[in-house]
């Protein structure tokens, strides 16, 4: 008897002719997630299995966090000929259960000496005898013991939900504007979950923002790195641009102009890295720079689509996801962000685009952007 993990994929099932491509990609991602565990991942009869591991709990934790995995079932594989042994295993697997159950047998080996209904009845009877806490309900059972008769027999009862989504890389690339806050890591995670390979841009204003603030952002990227299958982080020196904005632009527009520079630079990096979109962690009305007028003003400097997966989320909903993906504590460390220094006392909440453009005329944008790009540091995490 061998212990293994049956991996079920959700939505990628729907992909018609592309299905083999998605499945191959998912297998690669599961292998990546399990590197170093000695596990073997393979596909058989259109289903993905993992075996050869030492620690089921550890392997389950990793596989359930791979985008594209819908659920996993700890299963046993055993020779199908010895029906007594199959029943004994069925009894063992259901020994702790209470409530209602059914046995659900399926045969892809039609020459097997028992039919599916006969397996259901016989094994169900043995389980009822052994466990007085269980009753049969074939329509709406609390538990289903699956018995699959293929080249071997496979038995499983427990279904552990996984993260869902699609395998990273099957839906293109995008560039995340990653601050040290709560929102942007969540935004990146959500888009990556849809099968998008992300890279990240962080704007750093040393010495106004500290080395620790930069390390915090890299630590956030490291947290995301497992799910995102590695992230390249572009650290852009932003001090000079911020000082120029502070010295030459009206105070009420400084945050907005700064955001516009961020978008322009991020778009340049996105183009260079083959990204098709930018991602930010904004949500309507959260702060002055996230009113509808302000968002329009920042969007108007780039031609790439800007994905804002949190646009309709409350902060409490964002925090809930941040906790789930384990970025919340790191994000809550109290280091300053370049957005929080030079903050205007009364930022414009309903800026007119023409006014902002006019204010920006005081700056020589081209060379400032080129210098920032030249000074960019790239770190793979
Ligand atoms: P977050 O919680 O993600 O830091 P925030 O609530 O601080 O967001 P803003 O400061 O308005 O909101 O930033 C809005 C978005 O702009 C962020 O979600 C992020 O995508 C991007 N951003 C802000 N600061 C930076 C930075 N220093 N580097 C890269 N991107 C940034
Ligand atoms: Mg925010």
């Amino acid at each position: 008897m061998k212990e293994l993990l049956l991996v079920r994929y959700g939505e990628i099932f729907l992909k018609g002719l592309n299905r083999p491509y998605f499945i191959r990609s998912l297998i690669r991602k599961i292998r990546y997630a399990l590197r170093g565990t000695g596990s073997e991942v393979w596909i058989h009869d259109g289903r993905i299995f993992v075996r050869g591991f030492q620690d089921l709990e550890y392997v389950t934790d990793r596989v359930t966090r791979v985008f594209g995995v819908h659920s996993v079932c700890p299963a046993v594989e055993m020779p199908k000929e010895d029906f007594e042994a199959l029943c004994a295993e069925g009894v063992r697997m259901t020994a702790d259960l209470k409530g209602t159950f059914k046995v659900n047998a399926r045969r892809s080996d039609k020459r097997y000496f028992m039919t599916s209904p006969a397996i259901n009845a016989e094994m169900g009877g043995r389980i009822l005898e052994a466990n007085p806490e269980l009753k049969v309900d074939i329509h709406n059972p609390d538990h289903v013991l699956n018995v699959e008769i293929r080249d071997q027999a496979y038995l499983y009862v427990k279904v552990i939900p996984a993260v869902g989504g699609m395998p990273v890389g099957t839906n293109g690339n995008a560039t995340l504007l990653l601050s040290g806050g709560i929102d942007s890591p969540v935004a990146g995670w959500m888009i990556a979950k849809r099968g998008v390979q992300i890279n990240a841009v962080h704007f750093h204003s040393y010495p106004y923002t500290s080395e620790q603030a930069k390390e915090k952002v890299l630590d956030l990227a490291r947290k995301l790195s497992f799910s995102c299958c590695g992230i390249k982080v572009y650290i852009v020196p932003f001090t000079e641009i911020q000082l120029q904005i502070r010295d030459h632009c009206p105070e009420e527009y400084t945050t907005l102009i700064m955001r516009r520079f961020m978008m322009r630079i991020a778009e340049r990096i996105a183009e260079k890295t083959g990204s098709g979109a930018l991602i930010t962690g904004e949500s309507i009305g959260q702060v002055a720079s996230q009113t509808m007028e302000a968002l329009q003003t920042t969007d108007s400097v780039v031609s790439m689509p800007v994905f804002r997966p949190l646009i309709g989320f409350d902060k409490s909903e964002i925090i809930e996801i941040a906790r789930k993906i384990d970025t919340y504590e790191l994000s809550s460390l109290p280091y300053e962000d370049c957005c929080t220094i030079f903050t205007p006392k009364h930022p414009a909440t309903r800026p007119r685009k023409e006014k902002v453009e006019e204010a920006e005329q005081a700056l020589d944008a081209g060379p400032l952007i080129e210098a920032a790009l030249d000074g960019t540091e790239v770190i793979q995490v």
Side-chain angles (χ1 to χ4, degrees):
M1 190 170 81
K2 288 193 193 108
E3 213 180 19
L4 37 80
L5 204 60
L6 168 63
V7 180
R8 293 159 140 189
Y9 36 88
E11 212 172 315
I12 61 173
F13 217 143
L14 306 173
K15 284 284 162 181
L17 289 176
N18 279 335
R19 203 175 136 207
Y21 162 70
F22 280 86
I23 292 176
R24 273 200 307 277
S25 169
L26 182 58
I27 289 177
R28 270 203 304 278
K29 299 308 173 196
I30 296 171
R31 287 190 178 134
Y32 173 83
L34 294 180
R35 65 199 185 283
T37 64
S39 313
E40 198 188 329
V41 184
W42 86 108
I43 183 154
H44 183 59
D45 262 3
R47 299 190 325 157
I48 299 171
F49 291 97
V50 181
R51 76 170 159 211
F53 44 81
Q54 301 297 318
D55 183 346
L56 175 67
E57 216 170 294
Y58 180 77
V59 165
T60 301
D61 171 65
R62 301 209 95 162
V63 176
T64 50
R65 288 191 286 137
V66 173
F67 294 141
V69 176
H70 179 260
S71 58
V72 300
C73 307
V76 298
E77 176 191 78
M78 49 199 295
K80 61 191 169 187
E81 292 75 20
D82 185 351
F83 187 69
E84 285 305 314
L86 295 186
C87 287
E89 183 57 24
V91 165
R92 190 192 67 80
M93 285 177 109
T94 52
D96 297 337
L97 303 180
K98 290 188 171 73
T100 56
F101 85 106
K102 76 170 178 181
V103 178
N104 181 26
R106 269 161 296 169
R107 299 180 310 163
S108 64
D109 172 10
K110 298 293 179 200
R111 288 168 312 179
Y112 192 63
F113 64 91
M114 288 175 79
T115 63
S116 298
I119 297 172
N120 292 342
E122 186 62 33
M123 199 179 287
R126 305 283 181 95
I127 290 169
L128 276 179
E129 252 170 53
N131 183 347
E133 307 272 5
L134 281 174
K135 283 209 230 0
V136 172
D137 179 347
I138 55 168
H139 299 298
N140 191 20
D142 300 327
H143 313 283
V144 177
L145 171 63
N146 293 281
V147 180
E148 300 189 2
I149 306 292
R150 297 166 176 261
D151 52 341
Q152 308 253 18
Y154 298 89
L155 281 73
Y156 56 94
V157 66
K158 210 166 158 197
V159 180
I160 302 166
V163 61
M166 300 171 91
V168 166
T170 54
N171 278 325
N173 300 354
T175 295
L176 168 68
L177 284 84
L178 180 62
S179 70
I182 294 168
D183 306 325
S184 45
V186 172
W189 183 86
M190 285 175 73
I191 297 296
K193 180 166 180 274
R194 294 303 303 161
V196 176
Q197 174 79 58
I198 60 170
N199 54 37
V201 180
H202 176 66
F203 298 92
H204 183 54
S205 296
Y206 189 77
Y208 297 93
T209 58
S210 61
E211 270 305 308
Q212 286 154 305
K214 173 177 143 187
E215 266 315 307
K216 171 185 171 182
V217 169
L218 289 172
D219 282 343
L220 279 170
R222 287 184 191 107
K223 275 273 183 218
L224 295 177
S225 175
F226 172 79
S227 298
C228 298
C229 304
I231 301 181
K232 246 187 200 143
V233 185
Y234 294 78
I235 306 278
V236 181
F238 207 51
T239 320
E240 185 53 29
I241 292 177
Q242 284 201 293
L243 292 174
Q244 293 278 333
I245 295 172
R246 183 194 64 182
D247 293 345
H248 300 290
C249 301
E251 192 187 330
E252 60 174 333
Y253 294 140
T254 50
T255 307
L256 267 179
I257 294 175
M258 186 193 74
R259 308 265 322 120
R260 283 159 63 94
F261 272 87
M262 285 186 178
M263 298 302 264
R264 291 184 179 108
I265 293 170
E267 187 180 48
R268 289 282 297 276
I269 292 172
E271 279 163 357
K272 211 168 63 187
T273 57
S275 288
L278 302 175
I279 308 165
T280 75
E282 291 155 316
S283 87
I284 302 176
Q286 195 188 69
V287 288
S289 59
Q290 298 178 23
T291 62
M292 239 186 260
E293 293 83 353
L295 292 176
Q296 195 209 349
T297 309
T298 36
D299 270 7
S300 65
V301 298
V302 291
S303 54
M304 241 178 222
V306 181
F307 294 161
R308 297 187 169 93
L310 307 180
I311 198 73
F313 280 42
D314 292 350
K315 195 74 186 189
S316 57
E317 294 168 313
I318 300 170
I319 289 175
E320 201 177 307
I321 303 178
R323 285 193 199 282
K324 191 174 88 181
I325 65 174
D326 200 26
T327 53
Y328 181 71
E329 271 180 33
L330 254 177
S331 290
S332 304
L333 294 174
Y335 303 120
E336 65 296 326
D337 180 56
C338 66
C339 289
T340 56
I341 53 174
F342 312 130
T343 313
K345 276 193 214 64
H346 302 290
T349 52
R350 307 191 64 182
R352 294 235 323 273
K353 201 175 91 187
E354 308 73 53
K355 290 275 181 202
V356 179
E357 281 168 356
E358 201 184 300
E360 236 174 43
Q361 294 301 315
L363 306 175
D364 198 0
L368 283 172
I369 291 172
E370 294 309 325
L373 286 168
D374 283 346
T376 295
E377 184 188 356
V378 189
I379 300 168
Q380 174 76 45
V381 303

